[in-house]
Amino acid sequence: MTTSPDPAAGGEDAPRVVEQRGLYYDELEEGVVYAHRPGRTVTEADNVLFTTLTMNTQALHLDAAWSAGQPFGQRLVNSMFTLSTMVGQSVAQLTQGTIVAQLGLGDVAFPHPLFHGDTLYTDTVVTEKRLSSSRPGQGIVTMELTGRNQDGVVVGRARRSCLMWLRDAHRAGA
């Protein structure tokens, strides 16, 4: 988060302006659990819209009658919605305005389904950081995201790699 006088309001006597942002490379700590709250309760409309927007015709997401006869007895939330929401929940706290690029996602797993009406909570742990050897003022951060439902059951895991700004380089306009 950055604070500064509001230049539009008249200089140093103006009220401070607080701008929401993620954390810079320099501020991220390995081993720390970043808990992203609030959670996100997933609705039937979320699942159907995401599934149809992405042209995924899987009956497990769309056909209630057919899904009732399958092992879970109901429709499942599209796992790509789960993954996208897990990443999205981390943005405001970790990467908003401080990321250069997402480099990759890996080790993605969905050990338990998410259902309509479940609430998704995501935590992120920074597992590795290193300065970029080819991009001065930037570093590579590897994070492990874990999504849990309202009962604490793990519904998703992913490893995410991002190219992040160092604070001074970003502010200097590098």
Side-chain angles (χ1 to χ4, degrees):
M1 200 168 335
T2 58
T3 61
S4 61
D6 182 357
E12 293 300 319
D13 295 331
R16 282 187 327 135
V17 173
V18 178
E19 179 181 341
Q20 178 66 42
R21 66 157 172 85
L23 300 175
Y24 284 104
Y25 174 91
D26 338 42
E27 298 170 310
L28 291 165
E29 297 179 43
E30 289 184 29
V32 171
V33 176
Y34 296 93
H36 313 301
R37 301 299 183 266
R40 173 66 158 79
T41 301
V42 181
T43 68
E44 177 183 13
D46 295 327
N47 189 42
V48 171
L49 180 62
F50 183 89
T51 298
T52 56
L53 282 172
T54 57
M55 298 178 68
N56 180 340
T57 59
Q58 176 54 252
L60 277 171
H61 308 311
L62 298 173
D63 188 330
W66 184 82
S67 296
Q70 298 307 305
F72 291 103
Q74 61 182 304
R75 287 173 290 167
L76 309 180
V77 171
N78 187 316
S79 58
M80 294 296 99
F81 179 89
T82 302
L83 177 62
S84 295
T85 304
M86 288 168 51
V87 171
Q89 286 178 313
S90 73
V91 168
Q93 189 175 14
L94 298 181
T95 62
Q96 180 67 47
T98 57
I99 189 173
V100 178
Q102 177 163 282
L103 301 176
L105 289 164
D107 299 324
V108 177
F110 304 102
H112 188 276
L114 196 62
F115 300 109
H116 300 157
D118 281 351
T119 301
L120 178 61
Y121 297 95
T122 301
D123 296 332
T124 299
V125 175
V126 173
T127 58
E128 185 180 348
K129 294 172 44 169
R130 68 174 179 82
L131 293 173
S132 172
S133 58
S134 62
R135 298 182 66 100
Q138 299 171 2
I140 297 170
V141 179
T142 303
M143 310 170 199
E144 289 185 4
L145 290 83
T146 303
R148 292 179 176 80
N149 69 12
Q150 66 281 353
D151 299 319
V153 176
V154 175
V155 297
R157 286 192 185 96
R159 182 178 300 267
R160 180 180 185 210
S161 296
C162 299
L163 185 62
M164 304 288 297
W165 282 107
L166 275 72
R167 179 195 309 251
D168 290 343
H170 193 220
R171 290 185 174 168

